[in-house]
Amino acid sequence: MGFGDLKTPAGLKVLNGFLADKSYIEGWVPSQADVAVFDAISSAPSADLCHALRWYNHIKSFQNQKGSLPGVKKSLGQYGPAGVEDKTAPAVDSKDDDDDMDLFGSDEEEDAEAEKLKEERIAAYAAKKSKKPALIAKSSILLDVKPWDDETDMAKLEECVRSISMDGLLWGQSKLVPVGYGIKKLQIGCVVEDDKVGTDQLEEQITAFEDYVQSMDVAAFNKI
């Protein structure tokens, strides 16, 4: 298992394909598996690798919390698609290593904290399952996503937008709407669970595809 060399375009392409139908490296929540792969990448993936870039931006938002994410960090060769060998060069040691260890704690402390968090999640899940389902507040949102110019690949822009995956988000129909001078904007609908997904989150992740997206506006917002 592995991704090849994650410090090269070829390795990032393998990662992009791996994340095409996944939100995280392992499981359904951010974990030490995501931290291990994130730390092995030298810089953000290019915009054409939309699945990898979406994942990278999402995991980057957990940098101040990565030491407390669940799981145990393993070698890169234990993640990724089968049949691909890990060839990523290890990070060069520096005098800052001790600072990093102090910041994120020892392996034993991390393991104990991860185990405690796992137990808390299991208890919370069991409690949730034992209760009757509550009414979930949802909203229907229509978004206008504007490109830079008439040469922007709108099919690729829409692919990037739809690659955004969050719990409580469901993409709907879309169409291209002329705005003038040969430029068309992407108008796309989605249904969100109000407690899980907000328009600020959508705007942050959509505009992260800066090679394709100039801006995003909310064209309509209706409670369901």
Side-chain angles (χ1 to χ4, degrees), residues 131-180:
K131 297 178 181 178
K132 293 182 178 179
L135 180 64
I136 300 175
K138 296 183 179 181
S139 297
S140 174
I141 306 175
L142 186 63
L143 303 175
D144 282 345
V145 185
K146 298 176 183 176
W148 288 105
D149 51 39
D150 60 342
E151 296 182 357
T152 300
D153 186 338
M154 295 303 293
K156 189 66 179 179
L157 184 151
E158 181 173 354
E159 180 186 344
C160 290
V161 171
R162 290 187 181 273
S163 75
I164 297 172
S165 175
M166 289 185 280
D167 185 24
L169 169 64
L170 178 64
W171 292 110
Q173 295 183 336
S174 65
K175 64 179 179 180
L176 297 179
V177 179
V179 295

Side-chain angles (χ1 to χ4, degrees), residues 17 24 30 71 73 115 133 140 167 170 183 196 201 210 218 224:
Y24 303 102
K73 188 185 294 186
E115 187 63 28
S140 174
D167 185 24
L170 178 64
I183 301 174
K196 297 179 179 179
Q201 292 171 279
E210 56 188 17
V218 177
I224 297 178

Side-chain angles (χ1 to χ4, degrees), residues 100-116:
D100 292 340
M101 291 302 293
D102 291 337
L103 178 62
F104 299 115
S106 68
D107 290 341
E108 292 180 357
E109 292 172 345
E110 189 174 50
D111 291 348
E113 190 172 354
E115 187 63 28
K116 181 180 178 181

Side-chain angles (χ1 to χ4, degrees), residues 113-132:
E113 190 172 354
E115 187 63 28
K116 181 180 178 181
L117 182 60
K118 179 180 178 181
E119 292 174 357
E120 291 175 352
R121 288 181 181 275
I122 292 174
Y125 179 76
K128 182 179 179 181
K129 292 288 288 183
S130 67
K131 297 178 181 178
K132 293 182 178 179

